[in-house]
Amino acid sequence: MGGRALVAGFGATAQVILLAALVAGTGLAGKARAELHPADLAATSPSAAEPVGQPSEASQEPPNPAASPAGEDALSTNPAPASLGEDEPPASPAAAPASDGGHDPADTTDTTATPPSDGDQKPADTAAVAPSGDEAKPAETNAPAPGENEQQLPADAAATPADGTTTPSVAQEPAGAAPVLAAIKAKLQDPALRKGAASEDLAALEAFYGERSGAPLWITAMGFSARAQALIAEIQNAGNWGLAAEAFDLPPASDLPATTEAQATDEVKLALAVLKYARFARGGRVSPARISDLFDQKPNRLDPKTVLTEIAASAAPAAYLTALHPKQGQFESLRKVLIKAVASAKAHGRKPASDPAIQRLLVNMERWRWMPAELGSYYVWNNVPAFTTRVVKDGKSIYVEKVIVGQLKYATPIFSASMRSIVFNPDWTVPDTIKFEDLGPRLRQGSADGTRDISILTSNKLSVSYQGKPVNAETVDWSRANIRQYTFTQEPGPDNVLGVLKFNFPNRHAVYMHDTLQPELFNEAERTLSHGCIRVRQPDRLAALLLAEDKGWSAQEVKDRLAKGKNSGVSLSRPVPVHLTYFTAVVDAQGKLQIFTDIYGLDKKMASALFGKSVALSADARVRQQKRSAWNGGSFGSLSGMFGN
């Protein structure tokens, strides 16, 4: 063949090389990119040093078919190529890959990438299939393509795709979720945010976010979610529920945090505000015992972790918060009066916060937060400042009567208990306070001739026992005796200070309801006359009502039992809740607000705890000094009326 044949052969080879070089700038380069691993694609991104269209050394290497099998779980690792330039269409319509941070394809930094069309696929569900011949075929998919307005699924939804395929870990969290969660956990240790926060709230948040994966609860890359914005608006409306909106450190609902740390700050602030609101709604604003030891009540607060779990699952978190307030009819009635009072104050140029009438409403609303969540469908309600007792059935008062309550020195405590029995013709055991303050001093005085004077015992028909055994009072040296160790009992009868009926609801205060031998005292306007127990006018009506409900007794059966004159108790088959309360503001059945005297001066103390130095509510306790004739006729000769327990 000689030299001419060699030259001819070399010329043909040269033509093939030249043709390959021309093609390299078009489809072949696109094909090479389509078969690269995401890490290799990042290395071949266009730059100033490497113009678009020129393949790098990596792009000239054939892909490893074993590393990227089409149609298997490795589909999500085969991204589509980036655009090659304005004049050069991509070789495959596959969507751009998700970045290592889990960002949506629309957030990729490759600004030259072609926006996804309706036929484009999700990065995690798309296989980049190499085109055959001169035709580039669409990539095979195993999931439907998202619409143009479709948002990225949350982490918990993305974790279980509808087609059952296993998604890579990078797709389990929304954009930037992991960094934000890490920042939230760090922010919870920030002294500035921890200052003033309840330790139990902080502990609950640390546990909640420590266990959480995926997206934060309230904040997104575009600011607060719609649920969070509604929540913020409701907390700002706290004034309509008797709380102070300024007590909650809230971020603006329209805030657009620019950094991960700023997102974490907003998330933590809102979470703390939510827990504080929940605590305040359930009576955790101020401890009852801090106001007075008369308040023997424990608000029914929710565990902060429970609040976080439930509000996270709630479709309407704002409504969840407001549902934490008391559901009692009186609370809602006072709330409506409050809203009108605030509007009226503003209309007349007054500051609602410094209005005494509004402060009294807030004080009484707060006390409802200390009440049991359920009062009972049938219960007895003793409101101390109103000097009344009621029997309430299915929300309606079916019995209302006057009562006598404790003197200022022996104030009636505030608590709830269950009535378990009614005693006919009760005997009476003298309580310690009366033994120390009344019986003891008189017994130690003795007689003028040096003999022991026990007339205080005989005139009131009090028998004495020591360690359960009867003793002769005349044989006791009362000047040396420890009167605490002795029991003084008055037998049933017409002179018994408890009268003919006693209503027992066991409690640590040894307080109960009973009859009285001085019915004329019910004519007094302010009836603070007992040693702490509650005396009821016409108690036989109350007994008949309770026993008719519990046992079906008639009024005549009650009268017959009383007429026997014997001490006998009747146990109730269904204990009746008894609530002793201190409400100085009550809305009556006609919707009219009733205000009662603050007989123990507790409103002023509570207002100071709630409102600080700006208290406008003055103490109006006007407990009069009882006239001696009202309870003992001016002498120690009779204990009738003087003793309430």
Side-chain angles (χ1 to χ4, degrees), residues 239-308:
N240 284 349
W241 293 90
L243 303 178
E246 57 271 19
F248 308 99
D249 182 16
L250 285 168
S254 59
D255 197 18
L256 297 174
T259 65
T260 297
E261 183 180 3
Q263 290 180 33
T265 299
D266 279 359
E267 176 85 6
V268 171
K269 279 189 172 183
L270 180 53
L272 284 172
V274 165
L275 292 182
K276 188 175 185 179
Y277 187 105
R279 187 170 67 256
F280 280 18
R282 285 299 188 97
R285 192 175 178 185
V286 59
S287 169
R290 176 184 168 190
I291 307 303
S292 170
D293 57 6
L294 290 176
F295 290 109
D296 184 11
Q297 297 171 296
K298 294 183 179 180
N300 183 26
R301 292 167 51 187
L302 290 178
D303 179 72
K305 185 66 179 295
T306 299
V307 173
L308 288 172

Side-chain angles (χ1 to χ4, degrees), residues 78-427:
N78 293 332
S83 173
L84 301 179
E86 294 181 359
D87 299 329
E88 297 174 343
S92 170
S99 67
D100 291 341
H103 294 290
D104 190 274
D107 296 331
T108 180
T109 55
D110 187 354
T111 58
T112 62
T114 304
S117 65
D118 291 342
D120 291 339
Q121 312 301 322
K122 296 180 182 179
D125 299 327
T126 305
V129 181
S132 60
D134 297 331
E135 182 178 351
K137 297 182 180 179
E140 296 180 3
T141 63
N142 57 10
E148 293 181 357
N149 298 325
E150 183 177 351
Q151 297 181 353
Q152 185 176 353
L153 291 174
D156 55 352
T160 309
D163 59 7
T165 58
T166 303
T167 57
S169 59
V170 70
Q172 292 178 357
E173 296 182 355
V180 175
L181 282 176
I184 290 171
K185 296 171 186 176
K187 186 60 65 175
L188 284 171
Q189 307 305 317
D190 187 346
L193 283 177
R194 295 178 69 89
K195 184 179 180 181
S199 58
E200 57 184 341
D201 291 351
L202 291 169
L205 286 174
E206 289 171 358
F208 180 79
Y209 285 104
E211 299 169 359
R212 189 172 180 82
S213 61
L217 192 53
W218 308 118
I219 199 71
T220 73
M222 300 302 295
F224 283 114
S225 65
R227 296 169 72 248
Q229 291 181 26
L231 197 58
I232 292 173
E234 189 57 62
I235 296 176
Q236 290 172 335
N237 196 39
N240 284 349
W241 293 90
L243 303 178
E246 57 271 19
F248 308 99
D249 182 16
L250 285 168
S254 59
D255 197 18
L256 297 174
T259 65
T260 297
E261 183 180 3
Q263 290 180 33
T265 299
D266 279 359
E267 176 85 6
V268 171
K269 279 189 172 183
L270 180 53
L272 284 172
V274 165
L275 292 182
K276 188 175 185 179
Y277 187 105
R279 187 170 67 256
F280 280 18
R282 285 299 188 97
R285 192 175 178 185
V286 59
S287 169
R290 176 184 168 190
I291 307 303
S292 170
D293 57 6
L294 290 176
F295 290 109
D296 184 11
Q297 297 171 296
K298 294 183 179 180
N300 183 26
R301 292 167 51 187
L302 290 178
D303 179 72
K305 185 66 179 295
T306 299
V307 173
L308 288 172
T309 302
E310 292 180 349
I311 202 169
S314 174
Y320 172 87
L321 272 191
T322 56
L324 297 178
H325 293 285
K327 296 179 175 61
Q328 318 296 358
Q330 274 293 319
F331 179 86
E332 181 60 23
S333 295
L334 289 173
R335 190 175 83 88
K336 292 177 180 178
V337 173
L338 171 69
I339 293 173
K340 292 180 180 179
V342 170
S344 177
K346 291 179 178 179
H348 290 85
R350 301 192 308 270
K351 293 182 178 180
S354 58
D355 188 312
I358 290 176
Q359 287 191 357
R360 190 181 297 277
L361 289 170
L362 294 173
V363 161
N364 281 273
M365 289 177 67
E366 193 69 19
R367 288 185 186 136
W368 276 107
R369 303 184 196 278
W370 300 346
M371 295 291 290
E374 296 294 335
L375 300 180
S377 60
Y378 188 91
Y379 62 89
V380 175
W381 176 17
N382 295 300
N383 191 23
V384 174
F387 305 112
T388 58
T389 185
R390 296 171 181 267
V391 174
V392 181
K393 183 176 182 178
D394 297 329
K396 295 182 179 180
S397 297
I398 60 175
Y399 167 91
V400 182
E401 191 52 271
K402 292 181 179 180
V403 298
I404 291 171
V405 301
Q407 306 168 43
L408 181 60
K409 184 178 181 180
Y410 306 108
T412 299
I414 309 305
F415 64 95
S416 294
S418 294
M419 185 184 298
R420 299 186 180 278
S421 65
I422 299 174
V423 182
F424 290 82
N425 302 298
D427 55 17

Side-chain angles (χ1 to χ4, degrees), residues 30-90:
K31 176 180 178 181
R33 286 181 180 269
E35 296 174 343
L36 287 177
H37 189 275
D40 298 330
L41 180 61
T44 58
S45 299
S47 64
E50 184 180 354
V52 174
Q54 294 182 1
S56 64
E57 293 180 1
S59 68
Q60 296 178 18
E61 297 179 0
N64 183 356
S68 303
E72 301 295 337
D73 287 344
L75 293 178
S76 59
T77 63
N78 293 332
S83 173
L84 301 179
E86 294 181 359
D87 299 329
E88 297 174 343

